Amino acid sequence: MRTAIIGGGIAGLAAAYELEKARAAGAPVEYTLFEARERLGGSLASETVNGAVLELGPDSFLTEKPAAAELCRELGLGAELLPSNDEARKTYIVVRNRLVPLPDGLMFLVPTKLIPTALTRLFSLKTKVRMALELLHPPRPTGLPDEAVATLVERHFGSEAVDRLADPLLSGIFGGDSAQLSARTVLPRLVEMEIEYGSLTRGMLAAHRKMRARAAAQKSGSGLAQSKARPAPRGIFTALRGGMQQLIDALQARLDPASIRLSTPVSALRMVADGWTVEANGSRELYDAVVIASPAWAAGELLGQVDSELGEELSGIPYSSSITVNLVYDEAAIGRLPDGFGFLVPVKEGRAMLACTFVHRKFLGRTPPAKAVFRAFLGGMNNEAMLAETDAVLVATVRRELNDILGNKAFPAGVEPEHTQVSRWRRAMAQYAVGHRERTQRIAERVAALPGLRLAGNAYDGIGIPDCIRLGRQAAKELIALSPEPAVSRS
Ligand SMILES: Cc1cc2nc3c(=O)[nH]c(=O)nc-3n(C[C@H](O)[C@H](O)[C@H](O)COP(=O)(O)OP(=O)(O)OC[C@H]3O[C@@H](n4cnc5c(N)ncnc54)[C@H](O)[C@@H]3O)c2cc1C
């Protein structure tokens, strides 16, 4: 079976890796990976400057989703996995230019500890009273239509919780807007808790109790309590010591170089009697199967010629753009920074920056001693115009805002960074808008009617790296299962 993979981001690479493994094991599969840009990796890219690892796109993945770490281990990168420095984990929200720590006991968007919630400067008295009364919230009937995350959060905790919690936390993940994001897709557990318990706080506490009981049972069952064996350190996030580029390089090294076509955007796709024709750089080739791992808007353009409704559904998935700005400083030249990993900026603060990570604190050993690395994240749904600004303007904006927020002592305006790096990610982050789950079901139904077609990538069932890897590998495995048995195993 000859498969064309369109898009060499992490999803397309994961699909190619799976096909390459099958090919090497003797399965009758061949593949060609078409990538529009001159490099593989899509949003994953990093560079090392004077010993400092700078992430241009994502800096890590969620440890609780195993697909990414599993792939890294398979590729021989197990020793390169680096847990986040959770001992120093503390995140702030910017409120009227001041850094306010997230209160203890906050489980994603849900407060679960009375005293820290009562004492925090993050919320007004009115919101705190509302949070206490939330314990009495009645259950929601099942079968109601999807709604925006902002609507769900506001119903339980009020509008200040939307502005100071939901918006900044979600824009850090999706570069998106809680008034548009789907509660059912982005916060499915909270939607279920509301149906079962009414109160999200009560639901979250019950889930936490169950989790602890399960963990205790597992621990005593496995004898770990008595054993001296220490589990490998785990952080909430996992990075690679040399940056995400390590994963891309390791994947590329496993693939057959003759199967990779860089700077080759696919311009047309057609379904024909004996498979699919793929047009790129002026030539047309026939394949038995296609994995489209490009962003959904690009998939929509290609598939619109095959099935116009499918093309429209795919093109209807909104995307946001973002910018990352890395600034490297001599630590002695700046002042003492607040403890923790960094801060999030609510949209209501009216700033360009959505978040800033103190990289040297979040992952130890990736920044040389006595250096500080700030990684600012700009853009989001309401700030597309910023992509057109020059690097110099973006760096100056970040420096000005860091000075405003951290103060002139911690971040003196006049101190020049030793190195700056700016990356623009245009329409890179899919937004799971209200009705997303229904839309992906309609997409799946239409794709199922087109033999040999699979979709993978961040637009469908998870925006993060582990989900993209899972979907890419799954798409390839399904196609491998369709290919005829190798001649050798038949004989
Ligand atoms: C700035 C930023 C920070 C992020 N931070 C994190 C994080 O910390 N942790 C995390 O888990 N996730 C993070 N994400 C999300 C995650 O990185 C992405 O969702 C994921 O990498 C998307 O992978 P993909 O393969 O689906 O798409 P992409 O990486 O977008 O790759 C798609 C590829 O398709 C190619 N392409 C498009 N059209 C064509 C065509 N016609 N022909 C051929 N090729 C085509 C593109 O050039 C691109 O290389 C972040 C994303 C961004 C942008």
Side-chain angles (χ1 to χ4, degrees):
M1 175 181 284
R2 294 188 71 222
T3 301
I5 301 166
I6 303 175
I10 190 63
L13 281 168
Y17 168 69
E18 205 57 55
L19 288 167
E20 173 60 36
K21 268 197 345 183
R23 189 187 71 85
V29 296
E30 288 173 39
Y31 63 90
T32 307
L33 174 60
F34 294 90
E35 169 51 50
R37 295 183 204 155
E38 67 290 350
R39 63 170 287 276
L40 293 174
S43 304
L44 274 68
S46 33
E47 48 188 51
T48 303
V49 180
N50 298 332
V53 176
L54 305 182
E55 295 289 7
L56 282 52
D59 67 351
S60 56
F61 43 79
L62 268 180
T63 308
E64 70 168 18
K65 296 197 169 193
E70 269 168 23
L71 177 61
C72 290
R73 287 194 193 96
E74 271 184 56
L75 293 166
L77 294 175
E80 298 299 302
L81 294 171
L82 180 67
S84 48
N85 175 26
D86 288 356
E87 269 172 34
R89 194 161 74 98
K90 186 169 181 186
T91 303
Y92 300 86
I93 305 284
V94 176
V95 179
R96 292 191 206 100
N97 247 0
R98 289 178 64 193
L99 294 182
V100 179
L102 282 175
D104 191 25
L106 195 72
M107 292 189 180
F108 199 39
L109 300 172
V110 181
T112 61
K113 285 192 182 166
L114 188 70
I115 293 173
T117 308
L119 295 180
T120 179
R121 286 183 288 124
L122 189 57
F123 306 119
S124 63
L125 182 62
K126 189 174 153 209
T127 299
K128 290 175 186 176
V129 171
R130 179 109 193 229
M131 286 177 162
L133 292 175
E134 198 270 345
L135 287 163
L136 308 173
H137 202 286
R140 197 159 195 248
T142 48
L144 293 177
D146 192 10
E147 62 182 352
V149 166
T151 313
L152 169 77
V153 174
E154 185 166 0
R155 181 165 62 247
H156 286 263
F157 305 118
S159 60
E160 204 174 54
V162 174
D163 296 342
R164 295 189 182 171
L165 269 187
D167 251 339
L169 286 172
L170 292 172
S171 69
I173 302 170
F174 291 91
D177 176 356
S178 67
Q180 289 182 32
L181 290 171
S182 150
R184 195 178 283 171
T185 316
V186 174
L187 302 174
R189 281 181 67 205
L190 298 197
V191 171
E192 284 161 22
M193 280 173 191
E194 190 183 30
I195 291 169
E196 191 177 347
Y197 297 94
S199 159
L200 300 180
T201 300
R202 280 196 291 121
M204 199 53 98
L205 287 169
H208 192 57
R209 273 194 301 275
K210 275 188 209 158
M211 216 170 70
R212 282 175 53 162
R214 237 193 344 258
Q218 269 172 5
K219 208 172 166 187
S220 62
S222 68
L224 251 185
Q226 291 84 36
S227 133
K228 288 214 171 81
R230 277 221 235 119
R234 267 170 72 99
I236 291 189
F237 306 102
T238 302
L240 284 161
R241 289 181 202 282
M244 286 296 154
Q245 188 65 41
Q246 273 187 299
L247 174 56
I248 303 306
D249 292 345
L251 280 165
Q252 186 164 1
R254 289 291 177 103
L255 304 181
D256 174 11
S259 301
I260 301 173
R261 307 230 185 117
L262 298 179
S263 305
T264 311
V266 171
S267 51
L269 191 62
R270 287 210 166 65
M271 201 170 73
V272 291
D274 45 356
W276 294 83
T277 61
V278 174
E279 268 180 57
N281 284 356
S283 68
R284 182 184 298 169
E285 290 169 340
L286 181 66
Y287 289 87
D288 302 304
V290 183
V291 177
I292 307 188
S294 66
W297 47 265
E301 280 169 25
L302 293 173
L303 284 169
Q305 298 158 10
V306 178
D307 171 348
S308 59
E309 244 176 80
L310 176 57
E312 272 171 37
E313 292 284 12
L314 288 164
S315 305
I317 297 176
Y319 270 75
S320 74
S321 303
S322 55
I323 300 165
T324 55
V325 177
N326 279 289
L327 304 177
V328 183
Y329 278 88
D330 183 356
E331 224 174 2
I334 56 173
R336 191 176 142 64
L337 296 173
D339 298 338
F341 282 3
F343 58 83
L344 301 166
V345 191
V347 174
K348 283 259 161 85
E349 291 289 308
R351 298 212 167 265
M353 235 193 306
L354 294 174
C356 180
T357 306
F358 306 151
V359 175
H360 51 295
R361 296 256 184 81
K362 187 171 175 186
F363 296 105
L364 299 180
R366 301 205 315 170
T367 307
K371 300 288 172 206
V373 178
F374 299 84
R375 180 174 183 273
F377 186 70
L378 296 86
M381 285 309 266
N382 310 316
N383 257 331
E384 294 280 324
M386 234 187 299
L387 289 168
E389 299 289 2
T390 62
D391 285 9
V393 167
L394 293 168
V395 167
T397 305
V398 170
R399 287 181 61 191
R400 193 179 55 247
E401 295 197 353
L402 282 172
N403 177 259
D404 284 351
I405 294 166
L406 297 172
N408 202 46
K409 235 174 154 183
F411 194 90
V415 178
E416 292 293 322
E418 290 184 349
H419 181 77
T420 64
Q421 192 281 324
V422 178
S423 300
R424 292 168 185 75
W425 300 104
R426 197 177 296 277
R427 295 178 81 194
M429 216 87 112
Q431 301 295 298
Y432 295 173
V434 174
H436 180 80
R437 203 183 274 181
E438 291 74 11
R439 184 192 289 275
T440 52
Q441 271 159 9
R442 293 193 298 273
I443 289 173
E445 279 162 23
R446 299 200 82 84
V447 167
L450 300 171
L453 175 68
R454 295 291 183 279
L455 302 179
N458 73 11
Y460 311 106
D461 187 28
I463 186 90
I465 295 168
D467 290 311
C468 295
I469 291 172
R470 175 177 56 82
L471 289 184
R473 295 186 81 166
Q474 186 180 311
K477 280 182 184 161
E478 286 171 12
L479 292 176
I480 293 163
L482 292 178
S483 66
E485 285 289 302
V488 63
S489 64
R490 263 191 244 123
S491 60

